[in-house]
Amino acid sequence: MPEEYNRVVADHLSSILCVTSEEPYKNLLNEGFSNDKIFITGDVMFDNLKFGRKILKKSIESLT
């Protein structure tokens, strides 16, 4: 995939690498990156989904 080439280049140019979980962390270690350069930050999109669901649920409950 062409976007994979872009990811590899971007990873090598970056001073820090943020990943969503343990699996991508291990993948980067297998690619030869130092563990002091990789940070597990979580999944921002999933966190936003959970937050949005709470707001939506409250909004629907207030209508009924």
Side-chain angles (χ1 to χ4, degrees):
M1 295 283 191
E3 57 272 2
E4 183 66 9
Y5 294 120
N6 292 338
R7 189 219 29 104
V8 171
V9 170
D11 287 351
H12 284 279
L13 293 173
S14 300
S15 55
I16 63 168
L17 300 167
C18 298
V19 296
T20 57
S21 65
E22 192 70 29
E23 185 176 343
Y25 179 85
K26 290 176 184 177
N27 290 339
L28 289 173
L29 288 176
N30 289 336
E31 290 181 26
F33 290 99
S34 172
N35 66 345
D36 61 343
K37 187 176 180 178
I38 309 168
F39 298 90
I40 299 176
T41 58
D43 189 336
V44 176
M45 294 302 288
F46 183 70
D47 292 343
N48 280 319
L49 173 65
K50 289 192 305 186
F51 179 74
R53 286 178 66 191
K54 288 179 186 177
I55 293 172
L56 182 60
K57 185 177 179 181
K58 286 180 184 178
S59 180
I60 290 171
E61 288 173 351
S62 70
L63 295 174
T64 58

